[in-house]
Amino acid sequence: MRTSPMLEHLMEALRCLPGVGPKSAQRMAFHLLQRDRKGGLQLADALSKAMTEIGHCKECRTFTEEDVCNICNNPKRCENGLLCVVESPADIAALEATGQYSGRYFVLMGHLSPLDGIGPSDIGLDVLDFRLQRGDVTEVILATNPTVEGEATAHYIGELCREHGVSASRIAHGVPMGGELELVDGTTLSHSLLGRQKLS
Amino acid sequence: MRTSPMLEHLMEALRCLPGVGPKSAQRMAFHLLQRDRKGGLQLADALSKAMTEIGHCKECRTFTEEDVCNICNNPKRCENGLLCVVESPADIAALEATGQYSGRYFVLMGHLSPLDGIGPSDIGLDVLDFRLQRGDVTEVILATNPTVEGEATAHYIGELCREHGVSASRIAHGVPMGGELELVDGTTLSHSLLGRQKLS
């Protein structure tokens, strides 16, 4: 027998968050009730707003509450004619954090996976096709994940670019910075050899 | 430059949860937006209800949305005259999970800590004093944490019980079940020797 059905319900609801099991949910609920009710209310407000109002950008399909996101809306971001294709909005955050890239993005929200019934139109390749037709993209950078599905998706989009006469490139695979060579797996090491660059 | 201020705000708000840093907050926000908007809305609703409506039980000070919680309201729970004093509502959940205890609880919502300015009335000992006066408690089980503050608090409440002529007991300290003797710390081992029980 528990003391509060409402508290039980909150613990149950918290478990919709990834990585939160019964123990963490209990800790979170008690923490909010005991120490941060204001934070809890702000979270409730932010959640209900985000869940109802955030949709997808018409241009790049990333999450935004506007019709077109801040990046697609910025005229400076289309000057270099680059379009970076990624699998998820989290990848945009990672690439933006590098500060190395100043072009636009296109978010697939997944990858091709015929076995799961995910075809080209499910990952927005019809939208991408339309963008490539428009002619303001000079190079497509394929930054899908280095997994089997990611590689297949990159290959498919590469073909699409060739049809439109737009140059396509794939991000480099190789040994991660700061790692130790002996701990790197064989496939990665093969890629780092195949993709070696001339120093002189 | 980020694509959505509302999404940024959600990630910031998620960080009020204990153990959630920037990376986890991002993962949670994307997970809810991409895969579980309904769950996100239910969580928002559960949070706002819990934060505004859950207060403390008048009898035992645990969290509840009623005046008096389910446990204190249950006449069966006062038949044995036991009152278990714990530091937090989470301790009630742990004790209830054992299925061994059928008495009532009293939640201190902390422990005595003179250096932090937390005195007897801050942990509800005035309310406990009143309950002991009422005469329906025959034994107080002191289940505060086995820390310096928890022990001091247990000692203080033990004295209070003596004043009211109510018997008081402390939960047993000793070797945890399933552990290995060689890995148990010295203080715990001393307690397990001092608290040894006759078999025959």
Side-chain angles (χ1 to χ4, degrees), chain A residues 1-7 9-10 13-14 16-20 23-24 26-34 36-56 60 62-66 69-71 74 77 87-94 96 109-110, chain B residues 1-7 9-10 13-14 16-20 23-24 26-34 36-56 60 62-66 69-71 74 77 87-94 96 109-110:
Chain A
M1 177 189 262
R2 296 306 200 85
T3 56
S4 162
M6 201 178 274
L7 182 58
H9 181 64
L10 173 59
L14 279 165
C16 74
L17 298 171
V20 175
K23 274 275 170 189
S24 313
Q26 183 183 308
R27 187 168 149 240
M28 286 172 171
F30 285 137
H31 172 87
L32 291 178
L33 283 170
Q34 237 165 322
D36 196 8
R37 293 205 181 213
K38 203 178 142 210
L41 282 174
Q42 281 170 349
L43 175 55
D45 186 53
L47 267 172
S48 68
K49 267 191 193 152
M51 294 301 126
T52 47
E53 292 177 31
I54 291 182
H56 294 277
C60 72
T62 193
F63 289 127
T64 180
E65 62 270 29
E66 313 286 343
C69 76
N70 282 341
I71 292 179
N74 184 352
R77 308 279 309 218
E87 289 188 23
S88 81
D91 300 332
I92 294 191
E96 285 294 291
M109 290 283 170
Chain B
M1 176 190 264
R2 295 306 201 86
T3 56
S4 162
M6 200 177 275
L7 183 57
H9 181 64
L10 173 60
L14 279 164
C16 74
L17 298 171
V20 176
K23 276 275 169 188
S24 313
Q26 183 183 306
R27 188 168 149 240
M28 286 172 171
F30 284 138
H31 172 87
L32 291 179
L33 283 170
Q34 239 165 319
D36 197 7
R37 292 204 183 215
K38 201 179 144 211
L41 282 174
Q42 281 169 349
L43 175 56
D45 185 52
L47 267 172
S48 68
K49 266 192 194 150
M51 294 302 126
T52 47
E53 291 177 32
I54 290 182
H56 294 277
C60 72
T62 193
F63 289 127
T64 180
E65 62 270 29
E66 314 286 344
C69 76
N70 281 343
I71 292 180
N74 185 352
R77 307 282 308 219
E87 289 189 23
S88 79
D91 299 333
I92 294 190
E96 285 295 292
M109 288 283 170

Side-chain angles (χ1 to χ4, degrees), chain A residues 80-85 128-142 154-170:
Chain A
N80 56 12
L82 290 177
L83 184 75
C84 183
V85 178
L128 183 64
D129 193 74
F130 178 75
R131 279 192 77 166
L132 294 177
Q133 267 176 31
R134 242 175 24 191
D136 56 349
V137 175
T138 53
E139 182 184 345
V140 170
I141 299 173
L142 298 164
H155 181 78
Y156 188 96
I157 300 173
E159 292 295 306
L160 196 73
C161 292
R162 217 169 47 153
E163 284 171 24
H164 288 283
V166 174
S167 99
S169 58
R170 182 85 174 104

